[in-house]
Amino acid sequence: MATGTAAQKHRRTTWHNWAGNITATPARVVSPASVGELQEAVRRAAEEGLRVKAVGTGHSFTAAAATDGVLVRPQALAGILSVDRAAGTVTVAAGTALKDLNRALAAQGLSLTNMGDIMEQTVSGATSTGTHGTGRDSASIAAQIRGLELVAADGRVLACSEKENPEVFAAARLGIGALGIVTAITFAVEPLFFLTAREEPMAFDRVTAEFDQHVAENEHFEFYWFPHTGNCNTKRNNRSQGPAAPPGAVSAWVEDELLSNGVFQAVNSLGRAVPAAVPAIARVASRALSARTYTDIPYKVFTSPRRVRFVEMEYALPRERLVEALRELKAMVDRSPLRISFPVEVRTAPADDITLSTASGRESAYIAVHMYKGTPYQAYFTAAERIFTAHGGRPHWGKVHTRDAEYLAGVYPRFGEFTALRDRLDPDRVFGNDYLRRVLGA
């Protein structure tokens, strides 16, 4: 048996995620330069009784990728592998960052249909945990997958699509790292198009009263509510003929860098040091953003720089329960001693057919709550989670939550289908860890 490749690093190092709330000390870290090297690493780990987890850029807030065994860094497996314009697909290596994929597609006159609001993650990390944007007809990145390849626990490479290993394809598009290590993904793409974004402040009572109307009338609708206020900021993205009319350089810097990152960092630091000041800060911050309209290619409209670090919980609710749950959340914050300096984000998604997608089988709306890094978040998240679960909520797989397999089996009709597939593909739990034991069962 080979003793390993030059890409393997044998000293023990501590890994931590982007938010800093999760750490792990793997026995070794492997950065395979080829699928063959990855297969070798998986086989060797299995022989040694070590567990294997792949980690992207660490943007998840859960321990989904944590391991004391072999930690795989797939960033060397990167780049576009092929483009099929006739089929409208692109195949990309799993370690490719979304920002690199978006830019490379745009250079070829192509685009994903939808995406989340940041693009730092690897494509495999984003899809495996359920990263999504907002949309009436599309939202999840995983729902845009048309095929994938993964290394299974025995070292084999499985090719999966609707026609090839369809039962694996149904689940592995969002596999939480439980079924294998994804090596390549084929996405549906379309000719590059323009989106016109309209951002507009709106009162909480109005946006909740008109929520269904806004969702129906716009291809992509989302809003942020500022706790301790009755103020929201809405964003509507719809296709247009163009031409591109991006925000002016000064306007973009003020909105996206100064207010959303620089000043936001400062006010969160102040709020952490002086919690009593948070409501006043929120009232000022919620009035600082002004209405604006601009047009650009998709990734420049969907995504924004996010440099202020935080911890996040997000739940998917049946869409018809969104307004009631959000009003309950506001009432809870208003009557509590909590001081929340981060806005609450609301997005939507159509139903999809992915086994453990948060939108599997039902139209969904998402409520995401955040706390600034280093600020105690447990009391807020516990109270919010109590509301979300009362409405049948499904937690985002990569964001903080306390749910276990018993709860999740009750909100996912196909939960047993996923765990049975896992038993077949990974009976020895080569890809297991403590997080998966909690959410999927032993």
Side-chain angles (χ1 to χ4, degrees):
M1 179 67 189
T3 58
T5 70
Q8 295 170 342
K9 299 178 177 61
H10 294 280
R11 70 181 188 277
R12 292 181 74 90
T13 58
T14 298
W15 168 86
H16 61 84
N17 66 341
W18 177 82
N21 67 311
I22 301 292
T23 60
T25 305
R28 62 176 177 264
V29 178
V30 179
S31 301
S34 68
V35 174
E37 286 188 9
L38 175 58
Q39 290 176 280
E40 177 192 344
V42 170
R43 291 191 187 106
R44 180 182 173 204
E47 290 174 359
E48 296 176 355
L50 295 175
R51 295 182 296 184
V52 185
K53 299 304 298 179
V55 63
T57 54
H59 271 74
S60 288
F61 303 92
T62 66
T67 186
D68 58 2
V70 178
L71 189 71
V72 175
R73 305 300 300 261
Q75 280 79 354
L77 301 174
I80 290 179
L81 304 177
S82 65
V83 176
D84 187 335
R85 291 182 179 273
T89 61
V90 59
T91 300
V92 57
T96 308
L98 281 167
K99 61 184 177 183
D100 296 330
L101 173 61
N102 286 330
R103 291 164 183 161
L105 288 175
Q108 298 198 41
L110 299 169
S111 177
L112 294 171
T113 296
N114 204 346
M115 58 197 76
D117 57 7
I118 62 172
M119 55 178 186
E120 301 303 314
Q121 312 104 305
T122 60
V123 294
S124 55
T127 56
S128 293
T129 53
T131 295
H132 62 91
T134 188
R136 182 184 60 205
D137 307 309
S138 68
S140 166
I141 300 178
Q144 299 169 68
I145 294 176
R146 296 295 175 265
L148 60 86
E149 292 184 353
L150 59 80
V151 173
D154 60 4
R156 291 179 301 148
V157 175
L158 293 181
C160 308
S161 66
E162 289 184 345
K163 296 181 178 179
E164 192 172 9
N165 293 306
E167 74 289 352
V168 180
F169 179 69
R173 283 173 287 172
L174 197 169
I176 335 172
L179 304 177
I181 297 180
V182 175
T183 58
I185 298 174
T186 298
F187 290 104
V189 292
E190 57 179 301
L192 195 65
F193 56 93
F194 288 108
L195 286 171
T196 292
R198 178 184 171 192
E199 299 176 3
E200 178 185 9
M202 191 176 293
F204 179 91
D205 289 342
R206 179 186 167 190
V207 74
T208 51
E210 298 176 354
F211 177 71
D212 288 337
Q213 176 185 341
H214 290 306
V215 172
E217 292 177 352
N218 295 280
E219 291 177 76
H220 310 278
F221 177 71
E222 63 185 308
F223 69 93
Y224 295 85
W225 163 58
F226 294 83
H228 310 295
T229 81
N231 303 325
C232 297
N233 198 48
T234 64
K235 185 177 182 183
R236 285 166 267 198
N237 299 330
N238 290 287
R239 296 192 184 217
S240 73
Q241 295 300 309
V250 173
S251 171
W253 181 81
V254 169
E255 294 282 348
D256 296 328
E257 294 297 334
L258 181 62
L259 294 178
S260 296
N261 285 293
V263 171
F264 194 49
Q265 175 82 53
V267 299
N268 273 279
S269 296
L270 174 61
R272 183 173 62 188
V274 189
V278 167
I281 292 171
R283 287 190 290 271
V284 173
S286 65
R287 297 189 186 106
L289 297 172
S290 57
R292 63 173 179 168
T293 300
Y294 56 95
T295 300
D296 216 324
I297 59 176
Y299 81 84
K300 294 184 179 181
V301 174
F302 284 131
T303 68
S304 303
R306 291 285 183 266
R307 282 182 277 280
V308 180
R309 302 207 178 201
F310 54 85
V311 179
E312 180 179 0
M313 168 184 283
E314 183 180 57
Y315 265 74
L317 310 181
R319 209 187 82 187
E320 66 273 12
R321 306 296 291 273
L322 179 279
V323 171
E324 181 182 358
L326 189 62
R327 287 171 176 162
E328 290 175 11
L329 182 68
K330 183 177 186 299
M332 181 274 291
V333 170
D334 288 346
R335 67 174 180 264
S336 78
L338 295 168
R339 295 295 177 259
I340 314 301
S341 60
F342 249 87
V344 172
E345 183 179 22
V346 177
R347 294 178 286 177
T348 67
D352 64 40
D353 63 350
I354 302 171
T355 311
L356 289 188
S357 165
T358 46
S360 182
R362 73 184 191 193
E363 289 195 17
S364 300
Y366 296 89
I367 304 179
V369 297
H370 314 69
M371 286 292 275
Y372 183 49
K373 181 183 177 182
T375 303
Y377 63 84
Q378 288 83 357
Y380 177 34
F381 284 13
T382 297
E385 190 172 42
R386 189 175 298 119
I387 293 169
F388 301 154
T389 55
H391 290 278
R394 298 169 176 170
H396 189 297
W397 295 106
K399 299 179 183 179
V400 175
H401 68 92
T402 66
R403 300 299 88 189
D404 60 14
E406 182 180 5
Y407 175 86
L408 295 165
V411 294
Y412 282 98
R414 300 173 67 185
F415 188 84
E417 178 184 329
F418 187 96
T419 56
L421 178 64
R422 183 192 187 205
D423 288 342
R424 178 165 68 84
L425 291 181
D426 188 15
D428 297 324
R429 302 297 188 255
V430 172
F431 301 116
N433 63 6
D434 292 343
Y435 177 73
L436 291 180
R437 183 180 301 109
R438 171 163 68 88
V439 300
L440 297 178

